[in-house]
Amino acid sequence: MGKSIVFLVGALAGAGAAAAPIDSYEVPTSVNKLGQPFDGFVSYSIEFASFPEFAGNDSMPNSFSYNLLKNLGNVMGKNPYIRVGGNTQDYALFDSSQKAALVGIVDPKRSPDYPTTITIGPAYFESYSTWPGFQYSHGLNLGLGGNRSAGWQTLVETVPLACKTLADGKLYTWEYGNEPDLFGVSAQGPVRPSSWNESGYVQQWLNGTKEIASQVKKFCPGSSSPHYMAPSFAALSSPLKEQKTWQSGLNSNNDIKLFSTHNYISGATSPGVTLQGTLMNFGVTKASVDNHVKSYNSIFGSTDNETAPPLIFGETNSLYNQGRPGLSNTFGAALWGINFNLYSAAVGFKRVHMHQGTNYRYQAWQPVDTDKATKGTKAPYYGSMAVAAMLRNTATRPVSVSNIPLGTDQYEAAYATHFTTSKKLARILVINMHSYNTTVDGAGLDPLPNPAVRTSREYSFHVGLQAAEGETVRIQRLMANGSDAITGITFDGWSYNWELDAGRPVRLHNVTTGETATVKDGQVNVRLPDSSAALLSFMKRCN
């Protein structure tokens, strides 16, 4: 074991309690060549039909969303990149005479969570102007655009609007089609025959991207030729395969800037899904991410292949079908998000777009009040803040991310970052994913009258000569009452709740902050209550 275990009556009580001698975990001593994420690593994917609610419009911009996004940008030194897309991009048709930004009809038999009949008007594109300083990818409709005249006309009419709106540095990249590997088998209704295959997809992709390039050249002559994130496949188990798609000529025009793949750990209604066994589980996350790396490597050899389009998660989150209450909206999901993001970075993913939409259970925040959900900051957002703090200022001081092996316990994980230029150790982040619940049935609502004693585990890391004897190490904690908590969450004592200051950081004075540890004999120790995380920063180089 690399830790000792004590029991706490309060979250951090017993800090001086006696503990058995502990082994130490070895912190990598060199930069991880694979694990060098891009700037804005913590990014978002916003459902196409939800984007006007998340961003607002010219007359009423959504400042709450902006504040939350700027918090992350301020920490990372680069704003998150915003992918606008998802299932609903392939339902959206354009009506030039429509006054409303978006009109959508929900068919509960197809999906209760988003409209599957959609028209957008010119006002839709106002939403791209409400968050100054951000870059966007715009999702174009291949689902209907590749085989229906109305869909094709939508492509022809909206590309000029998008390229003009996203001029002056606002364009991140283009995306043509969301999860086309499911077009022939979609649970929301297939839009291709069962014979749909890689070569058919590539043919339609090349035809559509040729038209996109033509429209950009005609209406935005000062713009560079379009580049894309692709293929944006839903799952490695789908009928269409990434390797065969690439071999069929998807990138024959050399216009794919980012190799985008999608991932969900499991499904909202999948049998046997639990918070501890599915999300707060290092082995489950590792296996899921590793499968994507294996698929990418089968095409390009390695995630550090500098001649290949960099690997990103263009869309991802905990449980597909928009998540499940009591799992995807909990503090445990925030801890999962930290582990998922940092493990992905360590094995070669350059950027991660966490997906969300209005009323989605796994969302980082609810942008507006609806009859299904109240406006507010949700638990997963705090996980994103912890990841941003671990990577911190990567735009000006790039880091590499390494996983620190912690043995056979699958309910914990740790990571280290090194500055890529100086090669020096920067930070360690530890995640204790052992479940601790304080509400009835773990639902996060009604408190238990007599919750169990909360266990605390001490972790010791051997840093050797990477840190000076006696060096001060700052400790910043991600805390909540338990893994089932959906409120009362803080990172380093900061709250980002809507009710306090519209998502801006507010320091709470009832939370312990300002903790430090000291390097002694080449070791640094930290104790974590179950269901919590801690970020350790080596202050001589992280001021």
Side-chain angles (χ1 to χ4, degrees):
M1 298 288 289
K3 57 187 174 295
S4 63
I5 301 175
V6 297
F7 295 93
L8 303 180
V9 175
L12 295 176
I22 58 175
D23 298 327
S24 62
Y25 299 116
E26 290 292 331
V27 176
T29 58
S30 60
V31 166
N32 177 12
K33 186 179 180 182
L34 297 179
Q36 300 189 26
F38 287 167
D39 64 0
F41 176 82
V42 178
S43 287
Y44 286 100
S45 165
I46 297 176
E47 187 66 53
F48 190 92
S50 299
F51 183 52
E53 292 172 315
F54 272 83
N57 56 30
D58 288 346
S59 61
M60 190 176 293
N62 193 317
S63 58
F64 173 46
S65 293
Y66 178 74
N67 291 339
L68 292 175
L69 289 165
K70 281 301 295 181
N71 295 337
L72 292 163
N74 291 340
V75 172
M76 291 191 294
K78 175 67 177 180
N79 290 329
Y81 292 82
I82 307 300
R83 177 230 184 198
V84 179
N87 283 356
T88 54
Q89 80 183 65
D90 284 309
Y91 299 133
L93 298 176
F94 182 68
D95 181 349
S96 61
S97 65
Q98 180 175 297
K99 300 301 182 183
L102 184 145
V103 175
I105 299 173
V106 175
D107 179 354
K109 293 180 180 179
R110 297 180 70 185
S111 173
D113 294 311
Y114 51 74
T116 50
T117 300
I118 298 171
T119 55
I120 61 170
Y124 182 91
F125 294 89
E126 289 185 15
S127 296
Y128 284 115
S129 300
T130 62
W131 298 337
F134 284 79
Q135 292 178 277
Y136 306 85
S137 73
H138 177 70
L140 293 162
N141 184 341
L142 171 62
L144 301 181
N147 62 356
R148 301 186 191 183
S149 59
W152 184 259
Q153 190 61 30
T154 290
L155 181 75
V156 170
E157 294 187 53
T158 59
V159 169
L161 292 172
C163 73
K164 291 176 182 178
T165 302
L166 297 176
D168 302 321
K170 289 197 292 184
L171 179 65
Y172 169 33
T173 186
W174 297 86
E175 184 180 41
Y176 185 41
N178 173 74
E179 300 181 352
D181 54 323
L182 299 183
F183 280 0
V185 295
S186 173
Q188 286 74 44
V191 291
R192 296 293 187 278
S194 58
S195 59
W196 177 245
N197 59 21
E198 292 87 353
S199 60
Y201 162 54
V202 169
Q203 181 182 5
Q204 293 189 11
W205 157 271
L206 293 174
N207 187 45
T209 54
K210 180 181 178 181
E211 181 64 23
I212 294 166
S214 174
Q215 293 295 324
V216 169
K217 184 177 181 179
K218 180 178 179 181
F219 289 94
C220 301
S223 301
S224 59
S225 298
H227 289 86
Y228 302 88
M229 64 165 69
S232 303
F233 280 3
L236 299 175
S237 59
S238 297
L240 275 62
K241 304 301 180 186
E242 292 175 340
Q243 184 180 33
K244 190 172 181 180
T245 298
W246 203 262
Q247 293 169 344
S248 297
L250 186 69
N251 198 32
S252 58
N253 293 324
N254 197 32
D255 54 4
I256 295 178
K257 177 183 177 181
L258 299 165
F259 190 93
S260 172
T261 189
H262 295 181
N263 183 77
Y264 291 86
I265 295 298
S266 189
T269 59
S270 297
V273 170
T274 66
L275 193 57
Q276 181 72 90
T278 308
L279 298 183
M280 295 168 59
N281 187 308
F282 173 78
V284 171
T285 292
K286 179 181 185 299
S288 183
V289 174
D290 283 350
N291 284 335
H292 287 276
V293 173
K294 182 179 179 181
S295 178
Y296 181 87
N297 288 351
S298 72
I299 304 170
F300 304 110
S302 173
T303 54
D304 68 344
N305 182 347
E306 294 182 358
T307 66
L311 178 62
I312 68 166
F313 277 125
E315 176 184 322
T316 187
N317 216 301
S318 57
L319 304 175
Y320 62 79
N321 289 340
Q322 295 68 250
R324 189 203 296 183
L327 296 179
S328 302
N329 63 336
T330 66
F331 184 60
L335 298 175
W336 164 81
I338 300 173
N339 183 47
F340 179 87
N341 275 265
L342 292 180
Y343 185 78
S344 297
V347 296
F349 279 85
K350 302 304 182 185
R351 193 169 287 137
V352 173
H353 293 263
M354 301 300 289
H355 192 55
Q356 57 181 337
T358 306
N359 301 328
Y360 288 10
R361 276 69 67 191
Y362 52 49
Q363 63 188 178
W365 68 93
Q366 169 75 359
V368 294
D369 286 315
T370 70
D371 59 353
K372 293 183 177 180
T374 57
K375 185 176 183 178
T377 311
K378 308 302 181 181
Y381 178 80
Y382 288 84
S384 293
M385 282 301 304
V387 176
M390 174 67 160
L391 301 179
R392 202 173 196 91
N393 293 325
T394 48
T396 54
R397 296 189 75 185
V399 296
S400 80
V401 181
S402 303
N403 174 243
I404 303 174
L406 298 186
T408 59
D409 190 336
Q410 299 302 301
Y411 303 148
E412 55 192 15
Y415 298 88
T417 55
H418 291 78
F419 294 115
T420 56
T421 301
S422 68
K423 318 298 184 187
K424 291 182 178 180
L425 177 65
R427 301 173 191 89
I428 294 172
L429 195 149
V430 198
I431 318 162
N432 178 350
M433 294 182 285
H434 287 265
S435 178
Y436 177 72
N437 293 336
T438 61
T439 63
V440 176
D441 298 325
L445 300 174
D446 300 319
L448 289 170
N450 296 296
V453 174
R454 193 171 192 173
T455 302
S456 174
R457 302 166 200 268
E458 187 168 3
Y459 298 82
S460 180
F461 296 95
H462 181 247
V463 297
L465 299 178
Q466 297 188 85
E469 183 71 8
E471 182 173 344
T472 298
V473 181
R474 181 176 61 184
I475 301 173
Q476 297 169 285
R477 296 184 183 272
L478 181 66
M479 292 295 300
N481 283 341
S483 53
D484 53 349
I486 57 176
T487 60
I489 302 160
T490 59
F491 176 65
D492 193 34
W494 295 100
S495 172
Y496 302 92
N497 282 0
W498 157 252
E499 311 86 76
L500 296 181
D501 193 13
R504 301 178 187 89
V506 174
R507 200 62 173 273
L508 303 186
H509 299 293
N510 61 343
V511 180
T512 300
T513 60
E515 292 181 77
T516 60
T518 303
V519 177
K520 182 178 180 180
D521 298 328
Q523 307 280 139
V524 60
N525 293 1
V526 63
R527 183 173 293 167
L528 273 72
D530 282 353
S531 297
S532 70
L535 175 62
L536 283 62
S537 299
F538 292 83
M539 297 308 295
K540 282 192 174 181
R541 57 203 72 105
C542 289
N543 288 335

